[in-house]
């Protein structure tokens, strides 16, 4: 998808599309390089946009790994679900807070890895709370949650659910981004 179309979606649906441009390869590197994509059973991607992370995940995931992709934006969903034809990939055109339902629909109990590009800072507080609780609940006990944001506004909400959180910075992205890498722990 061209950058112009991405920008158009940003102005059209600012609450759903949190960036003016697709994620850079530098951000993809920070988000994905430390993850054992080839050895896990279930990966979930929330808000894939134009699929920068999706395509890399597919290249690196194991032959028995299942990828659940959840996208609410009509244009992004249509683009990805028609351009990617891989039996390991399951597309859902719905809200990310239904993550647990979608994991069960493919016959699994929990996700090993959840990768999110959702613009949490744009969400109302109750939606953000519900989403983060759903993510935490949907991860297995040794699961990893990776989220990028353009600010540290959601840091407190994320750290409340994921005490083991490492934050790194990626200046080579438009705009520059913070990457939260979180290990599952009990909700306080």
């Amino acid at each position: 998808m061209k950058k112009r179309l991405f920008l158009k979606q940003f102005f059209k649906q600012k609450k759903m599309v949190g960036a003016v441009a697709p994620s850079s390869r530098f951000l993809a590197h920070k988000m994905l390089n430390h993850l054992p994509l080839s050895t896990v059973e279930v990966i979930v991607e929330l808000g894939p946009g134009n699929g920068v992370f999706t395509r890399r995940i597919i290249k690196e995931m194991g032959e028995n790994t299942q990828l659940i992709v959840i996208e609410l934006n009509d244009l992004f969903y249509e683009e990805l679900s028609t351009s990617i034809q891989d039996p390991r990939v399951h597309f859902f055109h719905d809200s990310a807070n239904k993550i647990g339902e979608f994991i069960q629909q493919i016959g699994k109990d929990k996700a090993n890895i959840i990768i999110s590009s959702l613009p949490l800072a744009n969400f109302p507080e109750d939606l953000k709370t519900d989403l983060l609780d759903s993510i935490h609940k949907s991860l297995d006990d040794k699961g990893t949650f990776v989220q990028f944001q353009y600010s540290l506004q959601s840091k407190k909400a994320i750290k409340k659910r994921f005490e083991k959180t490492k934050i790194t910075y990626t200046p080579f992205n438009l705009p520059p981004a913070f990457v939260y890498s979180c290990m599952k722990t009990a909700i306080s």
Side-chain angles (χ1 to χ4, degrees), residues 71-82:
E71 177 59 66
L72 189 58
N73 178 282
D74 297 334
L75 182 65
F76 293 151
Y77 172 80
E78 185 65 29
E79 174 78 19
L80 281 178
S81 64
T82 57

Side-chain angles (χ1 to χ4, degrees), residues 96-100 129-139:
N97 63 357
K98 295 181 179 178
I99 185 173
T129 297
D130 184 45
L131 178 62
L132 289 171
D133 287 345
S134 295
I135 289 168
H136 190 273
K137 184 179 177 182
S138 299
L139 270 177

Side-chain angles (χ1 to χ4, degrees), residues 21-38:
S23 299
S24 71
R25 63 184 167 93
F26 302 104
L27 180 55
H29 177 82
K30 286 249 180 165
M31 290 282 290
L32 304 175
N33 265 23
H34 65 288
L35 299 174
L37 300 174
S38 65

Side-chain angles (χ1 to χ4, degrees), residues 11-183:
F11 286 114
K12 188 176 178 182
Q13 300 183 12
K14 286 183 181 180
K15 292 286 185 194
M16 273 200 288
V17 180
V20 296
S23 299
S24 71
R25 63 184 167 93
F26 302 104
L27 180 55
H29 177 82
K30 286 249 180 165
M31 290 282 290
L32 304 175
N33 265 23
H34 65 288
L35 299 174
L37 300 174
S38 65
T39 61
V40 297
E41 202 173 326
V42 180
I43 302 169
V44 177
E45 184 181 14
L46 307 175
N50 70 340
V52 170
F53 302 152
T54 314
R55 287 178 176 81
R56 181 157 168 202
I57 293 166
I58 292 168
K59 284 182 187 174
E60 296 181 18
M61 68 189 214
E63 64 182 50
N64 295 318
T65 302
Q66 300 294 303
L67 173 61
I68 295 171
V69 179
I70 305 171
E71 177 59 66
L72 189 58
N73 178 282
D74 297 334
L75 182 65
F76 293 151
Y77 172 80
E78 185 65 29
E79 174 78 19
L80 281 178
S81 64
T82 57
S83 67
I84 295 174
Q85 302 298 315
D86 187 316
R88 302 171 299 167
V89 181
H90 310 273
F91 290 97
F92 293 94
H93 187 205
D94 212 327
S95 175
N97 63 357
K98 295 181 179 178
I99 185 173
E101 293 175 34
F102 302 138
I103 292 169
Q104 289 181 354
Q105 281 186 36
I106 68 160
K108 303 295 181 182
D109 293 322
K110 301 281 184 176
N112 307 104
I113 298 171
I114 299 175
I115 299 160
S116 174
S117 302
L118 297 174
L120 298 178
N122 294 358
F123 292 174
E125 202 59 38
D126 58 337
L127 176 60
K128 181 173 29 178
T129 297
D130 184 45
L131 178 62
L132 289 171
D133 287 345
S134 295
I135 289 168
H136 190 273
K137 184 179 177 182
S138 299
L139 270 177
D140 72 15
D141 290 339
K142 295 181 182 178
T144 302
F145 169 54
V146 182
Q147 168 78 54
F148 83 86
Q149 295 288 276
Y150 300 118
S151 74
L152 295 173
Q153 182 181 10
S154 299
K155 179 179 176 180
K156 185 176 179 181
I158 291 172
K159 287 190 111 180
K160 178 181 177 185
R161 289 152 187 87
F162 299 95
E163 293 172 6
K164 296 179 184 178
T165 299
K166 178 182 175 186
I167 301 172
T168 56
Y169 182 67
T170 307
F172 302 112
N173 192 67
L174 183 62
F178 294 94
V179 175
Y180 296 78
S181 298
C182 312
M183 297 298 292

